[in-house]
Amino acid sequence: MAAPNAAFAEAPPLSAYGNLPQFQDAALSPSGKRHAMIADREGVPTLFLVEGTRALSMMPVKDIKVRRISWLDEDTVQLITSNSDTLSADFTTARTEHWSAHLVSVDPKVAIRQVFSKQKGIFDAINGTFGVRTIDGRTVAYYSGIELKKIKVNSHMLEYAFDHNRPALFAVDIETMDAKRIAVAASEGEDRDWLVDANGGVAATSRIDGEGKWDIRNAAGTIIASGVNPMGRFSLRALGPQGRSVLYWAEDPAIRETVLFSAPLDGSAAASRFEPDVDIASLYTHPVTGHYTGYRTTDGDRIMLDPKIGQRIESVHGAFPALHSTVEDFSNDYATYLVRTDGNKDSGTWYKVDLRKGAADAIGYERLPVKPGDVGPISTFEYTASDGMELDGILTLPPGIEAKNLPVVMLPHGGPHSRDVEGFDWWAQAFASRGYAVFQPNFRGSTNRDEAFKRAGYGQWGRKMQTDVSDGLAALAKAGIVDGTRACIVGASYGGYAALAGVTVEQGKYRCAVAVAPVTDLKLLRRLDIGAVNETSGGMTGRRLEQTLGPRAELDAVSPLRLADRADAPIMLIHGRDDIVVEYLHSQKMAEALKNAGKPYEFVELSEEDHWLSKGPTRLQMLTSAVGFVQKHNPAR
């Protein structure tokens, strides 16, 4: 076993963890013969379109925030990107994230096209994607977008201006880029969603108003399902196996859980729960038709409609038994797959798996400077909360160091409705490389279990969700793995809130706290979140927040901003100026409160950075600042 000092000296630089991955994303063409990938080329993120081992074309994407890539047909790749924009005083929020769809051809001579950019009557951003179909031999993609209002300047001139933010649905011929509206926008006071059938028509339309009253209508306008949920917990999901039914999520009042329902499109029978004996977490759909093909349970089991396809997918995962693996994409015939792996001794690898050939070829590595031996051991640690609830979390240990009385970083996830798994987490691994045990608790409210476990977190911000974290610390200390007196708490978004609550709502637990893009005041969160949505969603958002956060009268008691004078450890605040999820104002106010209370703190501003740390330089700035702060106040050696 290596001595501690030697292990630290040999650790990769923080840039190996904090930089954006050198291989960011990939997608398969419908046939599986081609793939697109975003990978570094001489240090510059570049989009490659590849057939076999030959690059068909390449395009630098250095400063572009690419959110997703996919193939629309065998010759065209779609890049979904976003950009932070400042809005005028006419809007309820100061900033927003505009999303765009860019189409790139395998032929480098063909210019890149942006959806809606040449449509005078449509705002040049997309609100959503609704699949791709082949119509009369032509590729047609479906997007929602905002129609602009015509204003007559004079007898010869028209101008277009913003009228409302309720999107309509358009069919876009990807060769001509002509956009045809196929469904109108919602009326004032309601939101709409759509499902597109295999022939490119609108098979189903859902509508929901501000009180949570919803319905689903078929192509003839007949209501085939309806209900009311004041929280707005309802959404369309997919067409059924033959395209003759619609699957949707709605709350079952009998069990007070959100479950999957099915309703025949022709209205011949009442809606009923789909697979009532199964806890379904998500669905799989066919890329060509949009029809349901299978589901994943809350336990992680994959059940496919066609058992042969299910066996293929299981064989793909079975090729990587010791790793956390995800199928990122697959060919239309389910014979070729893109698989991403990570976990112990793997900092992120992408494979192209060809079942016909029985081959799994690595096509990219996310973090080449992090060698297999540099990856800190990852495992699941189970423990019991102080009220008896069974919990678990992900424990990452420093490589080459004995797991005994280690300094520890508690790293609760964001969401809070999310989870951590046994994979390579760049933030956790960075701390582990510096000699810290890192624990990522799946506190109640996380999504690693069933709906009841998720709902157990309602109203528990700063309460049982918070003590679940510190109970994890106590359990690790009792097991002798960590030194409970040498702990810091670090997190982002909800995790940032938990970090601040750990030294304000709770006391005597941590030597320091680092909060990235944190919620600091729950009443401020309510006000900003309700103000940022449209008139339809405002009431539902408020009701959901009250259920999630708890009664308004009780929020000050668990708001770190209101408890700044109780802070019993140094605090670092880190926040991006372009954050539209948790506004920069949260950290700004917290810094003022800490200053006024005479409490030690540091405030790091990330210029032009968003909530997701999308830019390499500012992501590394965050990591360097956070690790340095922890090392200062809770040294590992």
Side-chain angles (χ1 to χ4, degrees):
M1 182 174 294
N5 287 352
F8 295 158
E10 296 169 3
L14 286 181
S15 59
Y17 305 92
N19 283 340
L20 292 176
Q22 291 147 313
F23 191 101
Q24 295 185 29
D25 199 2
L28 273 181
S29 69
S31 71
K33 295 178 180 179
R34 294 171 171 173
H35 66 270
M37 61 186 187
I38 296 179
D40 275 11
R41 180 173 183 262
E42 298 178 353
V44 177
T46 301
L47 172 68
F48 295 88
L49 306 187
V50 180
E51 182 172 337
T53 58
R54 180 172 64 94
L56 302 173
S57 66
M58 62 185 71
M59 180 187 77
V61 292
K62 180 179 180 180
D63 297 320
I64 301 172
K65 294 194 288 188
V66 179
R67 300 303 185 185
R68 188 172 73 252
I69 60 176
S70 61
W71 290 78
L72 299 183
D73 59 20
E74 200 65 19
D75 299 314
T76 310
V77 169
Q78 171 182 258
L79 271 71
I80 302 296
T81 69
S82 75
N83 185 57
S84 302
D85 288 323
T86 302
L87 299 176
S88 69
D90 297 331
F91 294 85
T92 57
T93 186
R95 299 191 65 80
T96 190
E97 195 81 5
H98 282 138
W99 297 71
S100 302
H102 306 267
L103 310 188
V104 182
S105 173
V106 295
D107 183 352
K109 296 178 182 178
V110 177
I112 298 171
R113 296 148 284 165
Q114 181 180 336
V115 173
F116 298 148
S117 66
K118 295 184 179 180
Q119 305 288 328
K120 291 183 178 180
I122 309 173
F123 184 64
D124 62 348
I126 64 169
N127 285 61
T129 60
F130 293 80
V132 59
R133 305 286 184 264
T134 302
I135 309 298
D136 296 328
R138 303 182 70 86
T139 302
V140 180
Y142 298 83
Y143 307 90
S144 58
I146 303 298
E147 289 186 288
L148 302 176
K149 182 180 181 180
K150 291 182 181 179
I151 299 176
K152 190 173 182 179
V153 178
N154 53 48
S155 59
H156 303 291
M157 185 179 298
L158 287 174
E159 288 185 354
Y160 295 88
F162 180 83
D163 186 24
H164 59 75
N165 65 347
R166 300 184 298 276
L169 181 63
F170 297 88
V172 177
D173 184 310
I174 70 166
E175 183 178 341
T176 65
M177 298 306 291
D178 291 335
K180 177 184 177 182
R181 188 183 68 195
I182 62 171
V184 298
S187 301
E188 187 173 356
E190 69 174 29
D191 288 333
R192 292 188 184 181
D193 198 5
W194 306 273
L195 292 174
V196 176
D197 65 25
N199 298 314
V202 178
T205 301
S206 70
R207 306 195 299 182
I208 187 167
D209 66 19
E211 299 304 313
K213 182 179 179 181
W214 60 265
D215 63 50
I216 302 173
R217 302 179 185 233
N218 61 18
T222 303
I223 295 177
I224 59 173
S226 62
V228 179
N229 185 274
M231 305 294 177
R233 293 196 172 97
F234 157 78
S235 62
L236 281 180
R237 180 57 185 93
L239 295 174
Q242 305 300 323
R244 299 184 187 130
S245 60
V246 60
L247 303 179
Y248 62 94
W249 296 104
E251 187 170 82
D252 185 338
I255 59 174
R256 295 187 61 202
E257 291 185 6
T258 302
V259 298
L260 195 66
F261 286 88
S262 174
L265 277 171
D266 62 6
S268 58
S272 59
R273 183 170 173 182
F274 185 77
E275 298 286 0
D277 297 326
V278 180
D279 289 326
I280 298 175
S282 59
L283 296 185
Y284 300 109
T285 58
H286 196 277
V288 174
T289 64
H291 296 175
Y292 157 85
T293 57
Y295 60 80
R296 184 179 63 81
T297 69
T298 54
D299 292 330
D301 296 328
R302 292 170 290 271
I303 308 299
M304 303 303 291
L305 189 63
D306 184 339
K308 292 182 180 178
I309 294 175
Q311 291 170 4
R312 292 180 183 179
I313 295 175
E314 291 305 318
S315 70
V316 169
H317 284 285
F320 310 97
L323 295 170
H324 172 245
S325 62
T326 54
V327 172
E328 299 289 343
D329 203 0
F330 50 85
S331 59
N332 288 355
D333 62 2
Y334 295 96
T336 310
Y337 297 80
L338 282 182
V339 180
R340 180 187 178 274
T341 65
D342 66 335
N344 285 300
K345 298 189 180 300
D346 185 349
S347 58
T349 307
W350 288 70
Y351 294 88
K352 187 174 183 180
V353 179
D354 189 328
L355 293 183
R356 291 192 185 93
K357 298 178 180 179
D361 298 320
I363 62 170
Y365 302 92
E366 293 184 355
R367 299 188 181 278
L368 282 171
V370 182
K371 306 302 181 186
D374 298 325
V375 179
I378 309 160
S379 63
T380 298
F381 179 82
E382 297 180 348
Y383 65 103
T384 303
S386 53
D387 67 352
M389 180 170 280
E390 297 298 319
L391 300 170
D392 64 47
I394 306 304
L395 176 63
T396 302
L397 297 172
I401 306 295
E402 184 180 4
K404 184 178 180 180
N405 293 327
L406 295 170
V408 61
V409 171
M410 301 298 287
L411 187 62
H413 60 67
H417 304 311
S418 181
R419 62 176 176 173
D420 285 306
V421 298
E422 286 187 18
F424 180 95
D425 183 295
W426 59 272
W427 204 359
Q429 289 286 339
F431 276 112
S433 74
R434 268 55 189 168
Y436 298 91
V438 181
F439 190 60
Q440 298 169 276
N442 284 316
F443 44 81
R444 70 194 73 196
S446 301
T447 57
N448 59 313
R449 299 187 187 175
D450 57 14
E451 180 84 3
F453 185 72
K454 174 183 173 182
R455 287 175 177 259
Y458 287 173
Q460 298 303 317
W461 284 51
R463 297 181 174 87
K464 289 184 178 180
M465 288 166 68
Q466 190 68 34
T467 56
D468 285 351
V469 178
S470 49
D471 286 344
L473 172 61
L476 288 166
K478 185 177 180 180
I481 298 171
V482 308
D483 180 346
T485 67
R486 299 170 65 202
C488 283
I489 184 167
V490 178
S493 195
Y494 171 82
Y497 163 83
L500 293 176
V503 297
T504 55
V505 178
E506 292 186 300
Q507 292 185 307
K509 306 287 185 184
Y510 306 104
R511 290 188 175 188
C512 68
V514 178
V516 180
V519 173
T520 64
D521 182 359
L522 301 192
K523 285 182 179 177
L524 178 63
L525 175 69
R526 279 181 54 94
R527 178 170 65 81
L528 293 176
D529 279 11
I530 293 171
V533 298
N534 60 31
E535 68 277 6
T536 305
S537 304
M540 291 185 291
T541 299
R543 290 188 288 272
R544 281 198 298 269
L545 285 169
E546 178 141 1
Q547 184 184 63
T548 301
L549 303 176
R552 291 189 64 189
E554 301 175 6
L555 299 185
D556 283 355
V558 289
S559 291
L561 178 64
R562 308 295 174 181
L563 306 173
D565 61 346
R566 286 171 51 89
D568 68 344
I571 290 172
M572 172 171 276
L573 300 164
I574 306 176
H575 217 126
R577 290 304 300 254
D578 289 349
D579 195 330
I580 65 166
V581 179
V582 179
E583 292 194 24
Y584 182 79
L585 183 63
H586 276 274
S587 286
Q588 200 171 33
K589 283 182 169 292
M590 188 70 194
E592 293 172 0
L594 291 169
K595 180 179 180 181
N596 292 338
K599 299 295 182 177
Y601 78 96
E602 295 181 32
F603 187 10
V604 178
E605 173 191 318
L606 305 179
S607 178
E608 299 183 351
E609 183 57 278
D610 58 27
H611 190 70
W612 307 282
L613 298 172
S614 300
K615 297 188 175 182
T618 37
R619 179 185 287 204
L620 179 56
Q621 180 187 0
M622 181 285 293
L623 183 64
T624 303
S625 300
V627 172
F629 192 77
V630 170
Q631 289 177 318
K632 175 182 177 181
H633 296 285
N634 186 29
R637 49 176 175 166

